[in-house]
Amino acid sequence: MARVVVEVMLKSEILDPQGEAVANALPRLGVKGVNSVRIGKRIELDFDDSTVDIESKAGRIADELLANPVIENFTLKVEDEDSGA
Amino acid sequence: MARVVVEVMLKSEILDPQGEAVANALPRLGVKGVNSVRIGKRIELDFDDSTVDIESKAGRIADELLANPVIENFTLKVEDEDSGA
Amino acid sequence: MARVVVEVMLKSEILDPQGEAVANALPRLGVKGVNSVRIGKRIELDFDDSTVDIESKAGRIADELLANPVIENFTLKVEDEDSGA
Amino acid sequence: MARVVVEVMLKSEILDPQGEAVANALPRLGVKGVNSVRIGKRIELDFDDSTVDIESKAGRIADELLANPVIENFTLKVEDEDSGA
């Protein structure tokens, strides 16, 4: 199986209230030293081994169904699932 | 700056309807060969450079505020932000 | 246009770390008196006026693509969009 | 207990790829007649009975920790939990 991981994060200029909430909750946890928390999405797309052009296919999927280009950026990472075989 | 990335995914035995929706939308897009789509979270925690034990701190944050241990697993990845300097 | 709103909430026995984060961030905001924060999804399904059985259709969509029955409950609310006409 | 429900939806001019995915998955489910699917958040804030100004408090929480005003709108609904008593 071949996997492409799509990572979708809000653009840096877009406020992330959910991340702010986590950051503001840290003092209560007694955790110090965190400057910033940003919460995005991580999507695992698993392809049949015989599928070609998985990276460009994943790019189309991300473009159309996973990320909103106005507010989000995404990156693609092809993972080699056979690396441990 | 030191960054720890927390990746939170639903456990494999937990259904992911949002991922199913993306998978079922692919034929309309004309994309073939995708076996499975799983949607999780990716959280970037940025620490002050002077902060120690960032991995264990990130682990506590993930445990308490980012992941639900009943239905989700998480992994931590320490990123070296200075690598390109 | 006819609208069905699907409200999806985690079951009460399922921990909601994201809600916890918001709850724990409130002292920093100076807001007191909140016992509990639970974060769910709200989905607006807009149907053609000519569509029949919109509530049962919405139920099928919720069942298969919006909620995970192991961890979430959902409710349906039919809204009358013409009420202001 | 007094509850305020905060409903957060993407502004109508902001694309919702997750909603698109659900909409595009419907033909596979055999469901017809859906024009649009929009996915937002529904947050239940439960207050102590003795707490005053719960609506304005909920508004501040929504403003700061639940919604991003650049891309999202929110509405508040005060629920009377005692209505069935």
Side-chain angles (χ1 to χ4, degrees), chain C residues 1-2 7 9 13 15 19 24 27-28 31 36 38 48 54 56 58 60 63 66 68 73:
Chain C
M1 194 189 54
E7 297 177 347
M9 301 300 292
E13 69 270 23
L15 205 72
N24 283 314
R28 270 226 153 170
V31 176
S36 150
R38 303 280 290 176
D48 291 326
I54 61 173
S56 71
R60 279 193 57 210
D63 246 345
L66 300 175
N68 181 337
N73 292 318

Side-chain angles (χ1 to χ4, degrees), chain D residues 1-5 49 54 77-85:
Chain D
M1 195 189 53
R3 172 175 290 178
V4 184
V5 173
D49 268 335
I54 61 172
K77 292 180 182 174
V78 179
E79 283 189 4
D80 184 4
E81 291 289 295
D82 300 326
S83 57

Side-chain angles (χ1 to χ4, degrees), chain D residues 2 8 16 27 30 32 44 47 49-50 55 57 64 79-80:
Chain D
V8 181
D16 174 11
K32 288 175 187 168
E44 297 174 350
F47 289 85
D49 268 335
S50 59
E55 193 161 357
K57 279 175 180 159
E64 307 233 13
E79 283 189 4
D80 184 4

Side-chain angles (χ1 to χ4, degrees), chain C residues 6-26:
Chain C
V6 184
E7 297 177 347
V8 181
M9 301 300 292
L10 281 171
K11 292 181 179 178
S12 57
E13 69 270 23
I14 303 283
L15 205 72
D16 173 10
Q18 205 185 324
E20 293 287 309
V22 172
N24 283 314
L26 297 180

Side-chain angles (χ1 to χ4, degrees), chain A residues 14-15 17 21 24 65 67-68 71, chain D residues 14-15 17 21 65-68 71:
Chain A
I14 304 283
L15 205 71
N24 283 314
L65 298 175
N68 181 337
I71 54 172
Chain D
I14 303 283
L15 205 72
L65 298 175
L66 300 175
N68 181 337
I71 55 172

